[in-house]
Amino acid sequence: MSRPIGSTNQGFDEKRTRLLTALREALFSAKPPMSFRGLAAAVGVSVPTLRHYFGDRDRLIVEVLRDCHRGAAEELEITAVALDDLEASVAAVLAHISAGFDYGGLTQLNRLGLTEGMSGPDLAAAYLAEVLEPTIRAIESRLKTHIRRGQMRDIDPRFAALQLISPVLMVYLHQDALNGKERYPLDRRVVLDELTRSFCRAHAPED
């Protein structure tokens, strides 16, 4: 008996999850953009199979970004929790995000999101919703705690969160995604230390 139209075969979700993992690895290791056919070849399936699980290329990219967001839930929770001391807390969150770029695939994820996001509004919206905004909101949550405690001036925590994440993103795109480390090397530890000190000085409570 044939399967009803619109139904999925047994093990659909498991196969789709495995494909998402393989697609993420392929997209992270290659220079985007990869064609739909190229992605199918990279993960060892046919184009119709990839279409069966994801529809079209844009939908596939959205699902990869969404899967990355789901996989980052624990890291985002850590990012959101403030430490007792403001300077220690800022240093810790910058070190945590920096480790994500160094070891957790954040450079590749942001390179993919920016490259794909520039190609159309749907992919731009997905990059914002699944990558940038969750990070900004997590940092914002941490800073709100410091503002509530009186350890920071009463400023817009979203603006302050953008002040923290923007230099880090720029440094890693400059050094790694654009290979600036070959001709214009930066000492990332010095950059992060100075960012910590300057941020805390700028937002210290007024006397």
Side-chain angles (χ1 to χ4, degrees), residues 58-78:
D58 281 6
R59 185 62 185 171
L60 184 155
I61 298 297
V62 169
E63 289 302 320
V64 168
L65 296 176
R66 187 169 293 160
D67 188 57
C68 289
H69 183 188
R70 286 192 296 266
E74 184 177 346
E75 302 304 322
L76 290 169
E77 288 179 8
I78 293 171

Side-chain angles (χ1 to χ4, degrees), residues 96-116:
H96 182 67
I97 294 170
S98 178
F101 279 96
D102 285 331
Y103 312 111
L106 283 183
T107 298
Q108 297 92 325
L109 176 58
N110 281 279
R111 183 189 66 185
L112 172 68
L114 283 166
T115 302
E116 297 292 345

Side-chain angles (χ1 to χ4, degrees), residues 171 173-188:
V171 164
L173 290 176
H174 179 283
Q175 292 289 278
D176 295 340
L178 299 173
N179 204 32
K181 61 189 174 187
E182 294 296 326
R183 297 183 63 185
Y184 313 104
L186 294 170
D187 187 327
R188 297 176 220 207

Side-chain angles (χ1 to χ4, degrees), residues 133-174:
E133 282 298 326
T135 304
I136 293 168
R137 289 196 300 270
I139 298 172
E140 184 180 352
S141 179
R142 179 180 287 238
L143 298 180
K144 281 181 179 178
T145 300
H146 290 296
I147 293 170
R148 188 169 61 250
R149 291 174 181 167
Q151 296 168 324
M152 286 178 61
R153 289 188 295 110
D154 188 12
I155 62 170
D156 183 347
R158 180 173 176 80
F159 172 69
L162 286 166
Q163 282 186 308
L164 273 184
I165 190 61
S166 297
V168 180
L169 179 59
M170 178 59 69
V171 164
Y172 277 93
L173 290 176
H174 179 283

